[in-house]
PDB file of all heavy atoms in Angstrom:
ATOM      1  N   THR I   1     107.685  39.625 292.303  1.00 97.00           N
ATOM      2  CA  THR I   1     108.002  40.719 291.393  1.00 97.00           C
ATOM      3  C   THR I   1     107.918  40.270 289.937  1.00 97.00           C
ATOM      4  O   THR I   1     108.128  39.096 289.616  1.00 97.00           O
ATOM      5  CB  THR I   1     109.392  41.300 291.682  1.00 97.00           C
ATOM      6  OG1 THR I   1     110.382  40.275 291.568  1.00 97.00           O
ATOM      7  CG2 THR I   1     109.436  41.898 293.084  1.00 97.00           C
ATOM      8  N   GLU I   2     107.606  41.226 289.094  1.00 97.00           N
ATOM      9  CA  GLU I   2     107.518  41.013 287.656  1.00 97.00           C
ATOM     10  C   GLU I   2     108.129  42.218 286.949  1.00 97.00           C
ATOM     11  O   GLU I   2     108.350  43.271 287.568  1.00 97.00           O
ATOM     12  CB  GLU I   2     106.064  40.842 287.215  1.00 97.00           C
ATOM     13  CG  GLU I   2     105.561  39.418 287.226  1.00 97.00           C
ATOM     14  CD  GLU I   2     106.099  38.597 286.058  1.00 97.00           C
ATOM     15  OE1 GLU I   2     106.871  39.146 285.248  1.00 97.00           O
ATOM     16  OE2 GLU I   2     105.741  37.413 285.970  1.00 97.00           O
ATOM     17  N   THR I   3     108.360  42.075 285.663  1.00 97.00           N
ATOM     18  CA  THR I   3     108.913  43.161 284.862  1.00 97.00           C
ATOM     19  C   THR I   3     107.873  43.656 283.877  1.00 97.00           C
ATOM     20  O   THR I   3     107.212  42.861 283.209  1.00 97.00           O
ATOM     21  CB  THR I   3     110.162  42.683 284.092  1.00 97.00           C
ATOM     22  OG1 THR I   3     111.122  42.170 285.014  1.00 97.00           O
ATOM     23  CG2 THR I   3     110.772  43.828 283.306  1.00 97.00           C
ATOM     24  N   VAL I   4     107.728  44.983 283.801  1.00 98.00           N
ATOM     25  CA  VAL I   4     106.858  45.576 282.787  1.00 98.00           C
ATOM     26  C   VAL I   4     107.308  47.009 282.523  1.00 98.00           C
ATOM     27  O   VAL I   4     107.786  47.699 283.425  1.00 98.00           O
ATOM     28  CB  VAL I   4     105.373  45.563 283.226  1.00 98.00           C
ATOM     29  CG1 VAL I   4     105.102  46.536 284.373  1.00 98.00           C
ATOM     30  CG2 VAL I   4     104.452  45.873 282.047  1.00 98.00           C
ATOM     31  N   ASP I   5     107.182  47.414 281.281  1.00 97.00           N
ATOM     32  CA  ASP I   5     107.423  48.796 280.873  1.00 97.00           C
ATOM     33  C   ASP I   5     106.107  49.323 280.330  1.00 97.00           C
ATOM     34  O   ASP I   5     105.631  48.875 279.284  1.00 97.00           O
ATOM     35  CB  ASP I   5     108.510  48.840 279.801  1.00 97.00           C
ATOM     36  CG  ASP I   5     108.833  50.258 279.333  1.00 97.00           C
ATOM     37  OD1 ASP I   5     108.084  51.203 279.679  1.00 97.00           O
ATOM     38  OD2 ASP I   5     109.825  50.421 278.602  1.00 97.00           O
ATOM     39  N   VAL I   6     105.484  50.272 281.045  1.00 97.00           N
ATOM     40  CA  VAL I   6     104.152  50.729 280.644  1.00 97.00           C
ATOM     41  C   VAL I   6     104.177  51.570 279.375  1.00 97.00           C
ATOM     42  O   VAL I   6     103.118  51.892 278.831  1.00 97.00           O
ATOM     43  CB  VAL I   6     103.454  51.514 281.778  1.00 97.00           C
ATOM     44  CG1 VAL I   6     103.217  50.623 282.988  1.00 97.00           C
ATOM     45  CG2 VAL I   6     104.216  52.775 282.141  1.00 97.00           C
ATOM     46  N   THR I   7     105.355  51.918 278.887  1.00 97.00           N
ATOM     47  CA  THR I   7     105.444  52.641 277.622  1.00 97.00           C
ATOM     48  C   THR I   7     105.625  51.691 276.438  1.00 97.00           C
ATOM     49  O   THR I   7     105.807  52.135 275.302  1.00 97.00           O
ATOM     50  CB  THR I   7     106.610  53.657 277.632  1.00 97.00           C
ATOM     51  OG1 THR I   7     107.861  52.961 277.652  1.00 97.00           O
ATOM     52  CG2 THR I   7     106.505  54.579 278.834  1.00 97.00           C
ATOM     53  N   ASP I   8     105.559  50.391 276.688  1.00 97.00           N
ATOM     54  CA  ASP I   8     105.789  49.375 275.660  1.00 97.00           C
ATOM     55  C   ASP I   8     104.617  48.394 275.662  1.00 97.00           C
ATOM     56  O   ASP I   8     104.467  47.603 276.591  1.00 97.00           O
ATOM     57  CB  ASP I   8     107.110  48.659 275.957  1.00 97.00           C
ATOM     58  CG  ASP I   8     107.478  47.605 274.924  1.00 97.00           C
ATOM     59  OD1 ASP I   8     106.587  47.104 274.220  1.00 97.00           O
ATOM     60  OD2 ASP I   8     108.664  47.267 274.835  1.00 97.00           O
ATOM     61  N   ASP I   9     103.787  48.434 274.617  1.00 97.00           N
ATOM     62  CA  ASP I   9     102.597  47.587 274.566  1.00 97.00           C
ATOM     63  C   ASP I   9     102.948  46.103 274.594  1.00 97.00           C
ATOM     64  O   ASP I   9     102.228  45.293 275.210  1.00 97.00           O
ATOM     65  CB  ASP I   9     101.782  47.891 273.308  1.00 97.00           C
ATOM     66  CG  ASP I   9     101.119  49.256 273.361  1.00 97.00           C
ATOM     67  OD1 ASP I   9     101.269  49.944 274.389  1.00 97.00           O
ATOM     68  OD2 ASP I   9     100.456  49.635 272.378  1.00 97.00           O
ATOM     69  N   ALA I  10     104.025  45.715 273.921  1.00 98.00           N
ATOM     70  CA  ALA I  10     104.414  44.308 273.912  1.00 98.00           C
ATOM     71  C   ALA I  10     104.779  43.843 275.313  1.00 98.00           C
ATOM     72  O   ALA I  10     104.463  42.710 275.704  1.00 98.00           O
ATOM     73  CB  ALA I  10     105.587  44.093 272.953  1.00 98.00           C
ATOM     74  N   SER I  11     105.422  44.715 276.091  1.00 98.00           N
ATOM     75  CA  SER I  11     105.782  44.376 277.465  1.00 98.00           C
ATOM     76  C   SER I  11     104.536  44.183 278.319  1.00 98.00           C
ATOM     77  O   SER I  11     104.466  43.258 279.136  1.00 98.00           O
ATOM     78  CB  SER I  11     106.665  45.483 278.055  1.00 98.00           C
ATOM     79  OG  SER I  11     106.963  45.233 279.410  1.00 98.00           O
ATOM     80  N   ILE I  12     103.541  45.045 278.114  1.00 98.00           N
ATOM     81  CA  ILE I  12     102.287  44.929 278.872  1.00 98.00           C
ATOM     82  C   ILE I  12     101.556  43.649 278.500  1.00 98.00           C
ATOM     83  O   ILE I  12     101.067  42.912 279.373  1.00 98.00           O
ATOM     84  CB  ILE I  12     101.390  46.157 278.616  1.00 98.00           C
ATOM     85  CG1 ILE I  12     102.053  47.425 279.166  1.00 98.00           C
ATOM     86  CG2 ILE I  12     100.012  45.955 279.251  1.00 98.00           C
ATOM     87  CD1 ILE I  12     101.355  48.705 278.769  1.00 98.00           C
ATOM     88  N   ALA I  13     101.473  43.362 277.209  1.00 98.00           N
ATOM     89  CA  ALA I  13     100.791  42.156 276.754  1.00 98.00           C
ATOM     90  C   ALA I  13     101.482  40.906 277.294  1.00 98.00           C
ATOM     91  O   ALA I  13     100.811  39.947 277.723  1.00 98.00           O
ATOM     92  CB  ALA I  13     100.742  42.118 275.227  1.00 98.00           C
ATOM     93  N   ALA I  14     102.808  40.909 277.293  1.00 98.00           N
ATOM     94  CA  ALA I  14     103.553  39.759 277.805  1.00 98.00           C
ATOM     95  C   ALA I  14     103.313  39.561 279.296  1.00 98.00           C
ATOM     96  O   ALA I  14     103.195  38.423 279.775  1.00 98.00           O
ATOM     97  CB  ALA I  14     105.044  39.937 277.523  1.00 98.00           C
ATOM     98  N   LEU I  15     103.235  40.668 280.038  1.00 98.00           N
ATOM     99  CA  LEU I  15     102.922  40.563 281.465  1.00 98.00           C
ATOM    100  C   LEU I  15     101.560  39.920 281.659  1.00 98.00           C
ATOM    101  O   LEU I  15     101.386  39.049 282.518  1.00 98.00           O
ATOM    102  CB  LEU I  15     102.953  41.943 282.123  1.00 98.00           C
ATOM    103  CG  LEU I  15     102.516  41.980 283.591  1.00 98.00           C
ATOM    104  CD1 LEU I  15     103.470  41.186 284.472  1.00 98.00           C
ATOM    105  CD2 LEU I  15     102.408  43.420 284.088  1.00 98.00           C
ATOM    106  N   GLY I  16     100.581  40.346 280.873  1.00 97.00           N
ATOM    107  CA  GLY I  16      99.250  39.754 280.970  1.00 97.00           C
ATOM    108  C   GLY I  16      99.269  38.256 280.746  1.00 97.00           C
ATOM    109  O   GLY I  16      98.604  37.500 281.465  1.00 97.00           O
ATOM    110  N   GLU I  17     100.036  37.811 279.768  1.00 97.00           N
ATOM    111  CA  GLU I  17     100.148  36.380 279.494  1.00 97.00           C
ATOM    112  C   GLU I  17     100.741  35.651 280.687  1.00 97.00           C
ATOM    113  O   GLU I  17     100.304  34.551 281.050  1.00 97.00           O
ATOM    114  CB  GLU I  17     101.016  36.151 278.252  1.00 97.00           C
ATOM    115  CG  GLU I  17     100.387  36.604 276.947  1.00 97.00           C
ATOM    116  CD  GLU I  17      99.224  35.725 276.529  1.00 97.00           C
ATOM    117  OE1 GLU I  17      99.171  34.553 276.960  1.00 97.00           O
ATOM    118  OE2 GLU I  17      98.358  36.217 275.770  1.00 97.00           O
ATOM    119  N   ARG I  18     101.739  36.248 281.312  1.00 97.00           N
ATOM    120  CA  ARG I  18     102.380  35.592 282.455  1.00 97.00           C
ATOM    121  C   ARG I  18     101.482  35.574 283.679  1.00 97.00           C
ATOM    122  O   ARG I  18     101.507  34.626 284.463  1.00 97.00           O
ATOM    123  CB  ARG I  18     103.712  36.282 282.791  1.00 97.00           C
ATOM    124  CG  ARG I  18     104.774  36.161 281.705  1.00 97.00           C
ATOM    125  CD  ARG I  18     106.146  36.553 282.199  1.00 97.00           C
ATOM    126  NE  ARG I  18     106.239  37.913 282.697  1.00 97.00           N
ATOM    127  CZ  ARG I  18     106.498  38.981 281.946  1.00 97.00           C
ATOM    128  NH1 ARG I  18     106.660  38.839 280.629  1.00 97.00           N
ATOM    129  NH2 ARG I  18     106.593  40.185 282.485  1.00 97.00           N
ATOM    130  N   LEU I  19     100.694  36.623 283.856  1.00 96.00           N
ATOM    131  CA  LEU I  19      99.845  36.718 285.043  1.00 96.00           C
ATOM    132  C   LEU I  19      98.646  35.785 284.967  1.00 96.00           C
ATOM    133  O   LEU I  19      98.201  35.235 285.975  1.00 96.00           O
ATOM    134  CB  LEU I  19      99.335  38.157 285.227  1.00 96.00           C
ATOM    135  CG  LEU I  19     100.347  39.218 285.615  1.00 96.00           C
ATOM    136  CD1 LEU I  19      99.652  40.571 285.749  1.00 96.00           C
ATOM    137  CD2 LEU I  19     101.062  38.857 286.912  1.00 96.00           C
ATOM    138  N   GLY I  20      98.080  35.660 283.783  1.00 93.00           N
ATOM    139  CA  GLY I  20      96.808  34.950 283.682  1.00 93.00           C
ATOM    140  C   GLY I  20      95.706  35.844 284.213  1.00 93.00           C
ATOM    141  O   GLY I  20      95.495  36.943 283.709  1.00 93.00           O
ATOM    142  N   GLY I  21      95.014  35.426 285.263  1.00 95.00           N
ATOM    143  CA  GLY I  21      93.958  36.254 285.851  1.00 95.00           C
ATOM    144  C   GLY I  21      94.514  37.210 286.889  1.00 95.00           C
ATOM    145  O   GLY I  21      95.569  36.970 287.486  1.00 95.00           O
ATOM    146  N   ILE I  22      93.795  38.298 287.103  1.00 97.00           N
ATOM    147  CA  ILE I  22      94.172  39.300 288.117  1.00 97.00           C
ATOM    148  C   ILE I  22      92.896  39.974 288.600  1.00 97.00           C
ATOM    149  O   ILE I  22      91.938  40.133 287.841  1.00 97.00           O
ATOM    150  CB  ILE I  22      95.175  40.332 287.541  1.00 97.00           C
ATOM    151  CG1 ILE I  22      95.831  41.158 288.647  1.00 97.00           C
ATOM    152  CG2 ILE I  22      94.521  41.214 286.501  1.00 97.00           C
ATOM    153  CD1 ILE I  22      96.910  40.453 289.380  1.00 97.00           C
ATOM    154  N   ASP I  23      92.855  40.358 289.878  1.00 98.00           N
ATOM    155  CA  ASP I  23      91.660  41.007 290.421  1.00 98.00           C
ATOM    156  C   ASP I  23      91.748  42.523 290.399  1.00 98.00           C
ATOM    157  O   ASP I  23      90.791  43.194 290.020  1.00 98.00           O
ATOM    158  CB  ASP I  23      91.417  40.524 291.858  1.00 98.00           C
ATOM    159  CG  ASP I  23      91.017  39.068 291.911  1.00 98.00           C
ATOM    160  OD1 ASP I  23      89.961  38.723 291.357  1.00 98.00           O
ATOM    161  OD2 ASP I  23      91.781  38.266 292.489  1.00 98.00           O
ATOM    162  N   HIS I  24      92.882  43.070 290.818  1.00 98.00           N
ATOM    163  CA  HIS I  24      93.016  44.529 290.921  1.00 98.00           C
ATOM    164  C   HIS I  24      94.342  44.973 290.314  1.00 98.00           C
ATOM    165  O   HIS I  24      95.361  44.288 290.449  1.00 98.00           O
ATOM    166  CB  HIS I  24      92.960  44.974 292.381  1.00 98.00           C
ATOM    167  CG  HIS I  24      91.730  44.534 293.104  1.00 98.00           C
ATOM    168  ND1 HIS I  24      90.528  45.203 293.016  1.00 98.00           N
ATOM    169  CD2 HIS I  24      91.521  43.468 293.930  1.00 98.00           C
ATOM    170  CE1 HIS I  24      89.621  44.582 293.755  1.00 98.00           C
ATOM    171  NE2 HIS I  24      90.210  43.527 294.326  1.00 98.00           N
ATOM    172  N   VAL I  25      94.313  46.135 289.669  1.00 98.00           N
ATOM    173  CA  VAL I  25      95.513  46.714 289.071  1.00 98.00           C
ATOM    174  C   VAL I  25      95.671  48.139 289.593  1.00 98.00           C
ATOM    175  O   VAL I  25      94.725  48.936 289.541  1.00 98.00           O
ATOM    176  CB  VAL I  25      95.429  46.739 287.538  1.00 98.00           C
ATOM    177  CG1 VAL I  25      96.665  47.416 286.942  1.00 98.00           C
ATOM    178  CG2 VAL I  25      95.265  45.328 286.982  1.00 98.00           C
ATOM    179  N   VAL I  26      96.860  48.461 290.096  1.00 98.00           N
ATOM    180  CA  VAL I  26      97.178  49.804 290.585  1.00 98.00           C
ATOM    181  C   VAL I  26      98.393  50.295 289.817  1.00 98.00           C
ATOM    182  O   VAL I  26      99.449  49.668 289.858  1.00 98.00           O
ATOM    183  CB  VAL I  26      97.488  49.805 292.096  1.00 98.00           C
ATOM    184  CG1 VAL I  26      97.753  51.225 292.582  1.00 98.00           C
ATOM    185  CG2 VAL I  26      96.359  49.158 292.884  1.00 98.00           C
ATOM    186  N   SER I  27      98.258  51.409 289.118  1.00 98.00           N
ATOM    187  CA  SER I  27      99.392  51.974 288.397  1.00 98.00           C
ATOM    188  C   SER I  27      99.841  53.261 289.068  1.00 98.00           C
ATOM    189  O   SER I  27      99.148  54.276 289.041  1.00 98.00           O
ATOM    190  CB  SER I  27      99.035  52.256 286.935  1.00 98.00           C
ATOM    191  OG  SER I  27     100.163  52.793 286.263  1.00 98.00           O
ATOM    192  N   THR I  28     101.022  53.220 289.683  1.00 97.00           N
ATOM    193  CA  THR I  28     101.591  54.402 290.331  1.00 97.00           C
ATOM    194  C   THR I  28     102.690  55.036 289.479  1.00 97.00           C
ATOM    195  O   THR I  28     103.292  56.023 289.890  1.00 97.00           O
ATOM    196  CB  THR I  28     102.191  54.048 291.708  1.00 97.00           C
ATOM    197  OG1 THR I  28     103.400  53.299 291.517  1.00 97.00           O
ATOM    198  CG2 THR I  28     101.216  53.246 292.556  1.00 97.00           C
ATOM    199  N   ALA I  29     102.969  54.454 288.324  1.00 95.00           N
ATOM    200  CA  ALA I  29     104.098  54.905 287.497  1.00 95.00           C
ATOM    201  C   ALA I  29     103.928  56.361 287.076  1.00 95.00           C
ATOM    202  O   ALA I  29     102.823  56.802 286.757  1.00 95.00           O
ATOM    203  CB  ALA I  29     104.226  54.017 286.265  1.00 95.00           C
ATOM    204  N   SER I  30     105.037  57.103 287.061  1.00 92.00           N
ATOM    205  CA  SER I  30     104.977  58.505 286.644  1.00 92.00           C
ATOM    206  C   SER I  30     106.324  58.939 286.099  1.00 92.00           C
ATOM    207  O   SER I  30     107.358  58.337 286.401  1.00 92.00           O
ATOM    208  CB  SER I  30     104.571  59.421 287.803  1.00 92.00           C
ATOM    209  OG  SER I  30     105.583  59.438 288.803  1.00 92.00           O
ATOM    210  N   ALA I  31     106.292  59.973 285.287  1.00 89.00           N
ATOM    211  CA  ALA I  31     107.503  60.619 284.776  1.00 89.00           C
ATOM    212  C   ALA I  31     107.163  62.094 284.668  1.00 89.00           C
ATOM    213  O   ALA I  31     106.389  62.493 283.799  1.00 89.00           O
ATOM    214  CB  ALA I  31     107.907  60.038 283.424  1.00 89.00           C
ATOM    215  N   ARG I  32     107.684  62.895 285.573  1.00 83.00           N
ATOM    216  CA  ARG I  32     107.235  64.287 285.684  1.00 83.00           C
ATOM    217  C   ARG I  32     107.924  65.199 284.680  1.00 83.00           C
ATOM    218  O   ARG I  32     109.132  65.139 284.505  1.00 83.00           O
ATOM    219  CB  ARG I  32     107.485  64.804 287.109  1.00 83.00           C
ATOM    220  CG  ARG I  32     106.668  64.083 288.169  1.00 83.00           C
ATOM    221  CD  ARG I  32     106.936  64.673 289.555  1.00 83.00           C
ATOM    222  NE  ARG I  32     106.125  64.037 290.575  1.00 83.00           N
ATOM    223  CZ  ARG I  32     106.508  62.953 291.248  1.00 83.00           C
ATOM    224  NH1 ARG I  32     107.678  62.406 290.991  1.00 83.00           N
ATOM    225  NH2 ARG I  32     105.730  62.425 292.158  1.00 83.00           N
ATOM    226  N   ALA I  33     107.124  66.048 284.050  1.00 88.00           N
ATOM    227  CA  ALA I  33     107.646  67.080 283.146  1.00 88.00           C
ATOM    228  C   ALA I  33     107.539  68.420 283.868  1.00 88.00           C
ATOM    229  O   ALA I  33     106.556  69.148 283.725  1.00 88.00           O
ATOM    230  CB  ALA I  33     106.843  67.101 281.847  1.00 88.00           C
ATOM    231  N   ARG I  34     108.547  68.751 284.663  1.00 86.00           N
ATOM    232  CA  ARG I  34     108.503  69.962 285.484  1.00 86.00           C
ATOM    233  C   ARG I  34     109.056  71.158 284.721  1.00 86.00           C
ATOM    234  O   ARG I  34     109.842  71.010 283.787  1.00 86.00           O
ATOM    235  CB  ARG I  34     109.292  69.770 286.775  1.00 86.00           C
ATOM    236  CG  ARG I  34     108.711  68.713 287.709  1.00 86.00           C
ATOM    237  CD  ARG I  34     109.401  68.781 289.067  1.00 86.00           C
ATOM    238  NE  ARG I  34     108.912  67.763 289.975  1.00 86.00           N
ATOM    239  CZ  ARG I  34     107.799  67.880 290.693  1.00 86.00           C
ATOM    240  NH1 ARG I  34     107.066  68.971 290.589  1.00 86.00           N
ATOM    241  NH2 ARG I  34     107.422  66.923 291.505  1.00 86.00           N
ATOM    242  N   GLY I  35     108.655  72.341 285.149  1.00 90.00           N
ATOM    243  CA  GLY I  35     109.214  73.560 284.587  1.00 90.00           C
ATOM    244  C   GLY I  35     108.161  74.466 283.975  1.00 90.00           C
ATOM    245  O   GLY I  35     107.040  74.041 283.667  1.00 90.00           O
ATOM    246  N   ARG I  36     108.521  75.727 283.818  1.00 93.00           N
ATOM    247  CA  ARG I  36     107.639  76.677 283.149  1.00 93.00           C
ATOM    248  C   ARG I  36     107.605  76.392 281.650  1.00 93.00           C
ATOM    249  O   ARG I  36     108.435  75.659 281.113  1.00 93.00           O
ATOM    250  CB  ARG I  36     108.111  78.103 283.424  1.00 93.00           C
ATOM    251  CG  ARG I  36     107.893  78.554 284.871  1.00 93.00           C
ATOM    252  CD  ARG I  36     108.446  79.950 285.111  1.00 93.00           C
ATOM    253  NE  ARG I  36     108.161  80.403 286.463  1.00 93.00           N
ATOM    254  CZ  ARG I  36     107.119  81.170 286.798  1.00 93.00           C
ATOM    255  NH1 ARG I  36     106.269  81.552 285.858  1.00 93.00           N
ATOM    256  NH2 ARG I  36     106.929  81.538 288.049  1.00 93.00           N
ATOM    257  N   LEU I  37     106.642  77.001 280.989  1.00 93.00           N
ATOM    258  CA  LEU I  37     106.410  76.735 279.574  1.00 93.00           C
ATOM    259  C   LEU I  37     107.689  76.856 278.744  1.00 93.00           C
ATOM    260  O   LEU I  37     107.990  75.992 277.908  1.00 93.00           O
ATOM    261  CB  LEU I  37     105.335  77.695 279.047  1.00 93.00           C
ATOM    262  CG  LEU I  37     104.995  77.584 277.565  1.00 93.00           C
ATOM    263  CD1 LEU I  37     104.461  76.197 277.228  1.00 93.00           C
ATOM    264  CD2 LEU I  37     103.961  78.655 277.189  1.00 93.00           C
ATOM    265  N   ALA I  38     108.448  77.923 278.960  1.00 92.00           N
ATOM    266  CA  ALA I  38     109.642  78.157 278.146  1.00 92.00           C
ATOM    267  C   ALA I  38     110.691  77.069 278.319  1.00 92.00           C
ATOM    268  O   ALA I  38     111.551  76.885 277.441  1.00 92.00           O
ATOM    269  CB  ALA I  38     110.247  79.514 278.504  1.00 92.00           C
ATOM    270  N   ASP I  39     110.622  76.347 279.424  1.00 92.00           N
ATOM    271  CA  ASP I  39     111.630  75.333 279.711  1.00 92.00           C
ATOM    272  C   ASP I  39     111.168  73.909 279.410  1.00 92.00           C
ATOM    273  O   ASP I  39     111.964  72.970 279.511  1.00 92.00           O
ATOM    274  CB  ASP I  39     112.033  75.407 281.186  1.00 92.00           C
ATOM    275  CG  ASP I  39     112.590  76.769 281.561  1.00 92.00           C
ATOM    276  OD1 ASP I  39     113.361  77.315 280.749  1.00 92.00           O
ATOM    277  OD2 ASP I  39     112.224  77.287 282.635  1.00 92.00           O
ATOM    278  N   LEU I  40     109.899  73.745 279.031  1.00 93.00           N
ATOM    279  CA  LEU I  40     109.375  72.397 278.824  1.00 93.00           C
ATOM    280  C   LEU I  40     109.918  71.808 277.526  1.00 93.00           C
ATOM    281  O   LEU I  40     109.937  72.457 276.482  1.00 93.00           O
ATOM    282  CB  LEU I  40     107.850  72.404 278.788  1.00 93.00           C
ATOM    283  CG  LEU I  40     107.147  72.492 280.142  1.00 93.00           C
ATOM    284  CD1 LEU I  40     105.638  72.576 279.947  1.00 93.00           C
ATOM    285  CD2 LEU I  40     107.504  71.298 281.024  1.00 93.00           C
ATOM    286  N   ASP I  41     110.306  70.566 277.627  1.00 92.00           N
ATOM    287  CA  ASP I  41     110.823  69.819 276.486  1.00 92.00           C
ATOM    288  C   ASP I  41     109.732  68.872 275.976  1.00 92.00           C
ATOM    289  O   ASP I  41     109.064  68.195 276.767  1.00 92.00           O
ATOM    290  CB  ASP I  41     112.052  69.026 276.937  1.00 92.00           C
ATOM    291  CG  ASP I  41     112.571  68.102 275.863  1.00 92.00           C
ATOM    292  OD1 ASP I  41     113.200  68.596 274.925  1.00 92.00           O
ATOM    293  OD2 ASP I  41     112.322  66.883 275.974  1.00 92.00           O
ATOM    294  N   ARG I  42     109.545  68.830 274.661  1.00 94.00           N
ATOM    295  CA  ARG I  42     108.496  67.991 274.087  1.00 94.00           C
ATOM    296  C   ARG I  42     108.623  66.535 274.530  1.00 94.00           C
ATOM    297  O   ARG I  42     107.618  65.886 274.867  1.00 94.00           O
ATOM    298  CB  ARG I  42     108.532  68.064 272.561  1.00 94.00           C
ATOM    299  CG  ARG I  42     107.500  67.148 271.883  1.00 94.00           C
ATOM    300  CD  ARG I  42     107.625  67.193 270.372  1.00 94.00           C
ATOM    301  NE  ARG I  42     107.163  68.464 269.838  1.00 94.00           N
ATOM    302  CZ  ARG I  42     105.898  68.717 269.471  1.00 94.00           C
ATOM    303  NH1 ARG I  42     104.985  67.770 269.621  1.00 94.00           N
ATOM    304  NH2 ARG I  42     105.561  69.882 268.980  1.00 94.00           N
ATOM    305  N   GLU I  43     109.826  66.012 274.526  1.00 95.00           N
ATOM    306  CA  GLU I  43     110.011  64.616 274.876  1.00 95.00           C
ATOM    307  C   GLU I  43     109.654  64.352 276.338  1.00 95.00           C
ATOM    308  O   GLU I  43     109.094  63.300 276.673  1.00 95.00           O
ATOM    309  CB  GLU I  43     111.449  64.179 274.598  1.00 95.00           C
ATOM    310  CG  GLU I  43     111.673  62.675 274.749  1.00 95.00           C
ATOM    311  CD  GLU I  43     110.711  61.845 273.908  1.00 95.00           C
ATOM    312  OE1 GLU I  43     110.389  62.249 272.765  1.00 95.00           O
ATOM    313  OE2 GLU I  43     110.259  60.789 274.412  1.00 95.00           O
ATOM    314  N   ALA I  44     109.958  65.305 277.225  1.00 94.00           N
ATOM    315  CA  ALA I  44     109.607  65.134 278.636  1.00 94.00           C
ATOM    316  C   ALA I  44     108.096  65.111 278.820  1.00 94.00           C
ATOM    317  O   ALA I  44     107.564  64.311 279.598  1.00 94.00           O
ATOM    318  CB  ALA I  44     110.223  66.250 279.472  1.00 94.00           C
ATOM    319  N   VAL I  45     107.383  65.980 278.102  1.00 95.00           N
ATOM    320  CA  VAL I  45     105.923  66.001 278.194  1.00 95.00           C
ATOM    321  C   VAL I  45     105.344  64.716 277.606  1.00 95.00           C
ATOM    322  O   VAL I  45     104.410  64.118 278.165  1.00 95.00           O
ATOM    323  CB  VAL I  45     105.347  67.229 277.474  1.00 95.00           C
ATOM    324  CG1 VAL I  45     103.820  67.204 277.489  1.00 95.00           C
ATOM    325  CG2 VAL I  45     105.845  68.513 278.125  1.00 95.00           C
ATOM    326  N   ARG I  46     105.907  64.283 276.484  1.00 96.00           N
ATOM    327  CA  ARG I  46     105.428  63.043 275.870  1.00 96.00           C
ATOM    328  C   ARG I  46     105.628  61.857 276.811  1.00 96.00           C
ATOM    329  O   ARG I  46     104.734  61.012 276.965  1.00 96.00           O
ATOM    330  CB  ARG I  46     106.162  62.806 274.555  1.00 96.00           C
ATOM    331  CG  ARG I  46     105.697  61.541 273.817  1.00 96.00           C
ATOM    332  CD  ARG I  46     106.516  61.268 272.564  1.00 96.00           C
ATOM    333  NE  ARG I  46     106.171  62.233 271.514  1.00 96.00           N
ATOM    334  CZ  ARG I  46     107.021  63.093 270.988  1.00 96.00           C
ATOM    335  NH1 ARG I  46     108.279  63.142 271.433  1.00 96.00           N
ATOM    336  NH2 ARG I  46     106.646  63.902 270.028  1.00 96.00           N
ATOM    337  N   LEU I  47     106.792  61.784 277.452  1.00 96.00           N
ATOM    338  CA  LEU I  47     107.054  60.682 278.374  1.00 96.00           C
ATOM    339  C   LEU I  47     106.119  60.736 279.576  1.00 96.00           C
ATOM    340  O   LEU I  47     105.649  59.700 280.065  1.00 96.00           O
ATOM    341  CB  LEU I  47     108.508  60.727 278.842  1.00 96.00           C
ATOM    342  CG  LEU I  47     108.938  59.614 279.796  1.00 96.00           C
ATOM    343  CD1 LEU I  47     108.763  58.246 279.153  1.00 96.00           C
ATOM    344  CD2 LEU I  47     110.390  59.820 280.234  1.00 96.00           C
TER     345      LEU I  47
END
């Protein structure tokens, strides 16, 4: 296991340094902005 925050470029860069080489990358990370238009929050959509 490793630590990374995909919303933080420094965290991603640091992970790369720790990993060295890698063959395949799979990103399953998600943060859902659910709801109808009137209920959508800008920050939720941005995230």
Side-chain angles (χ1 to χ4, degrees):
T1 58
E2 270 285 0
T3 303
V4 70
D5 181 349
V6 297
T7 68
D8 182 337
D9 290 358
S11 176
I12 295 171
L15 175 64
E17 291 290 336
R18 295 194 301 273
L19 291 180
I22 194 78
D23 292 298
H24 304 278
V25 177
V26 183
S27 181
T28 72
S30 67
R32 295 182 178 89
R34 295 191 182 278
R36 290 177 176 264
L37 178 61
D39 301 319
L40 282 177
D41 174 75
R42 177 183 289 270
E43 188 54 38
V45 176
R46 182 184 287 118
L47 181 60

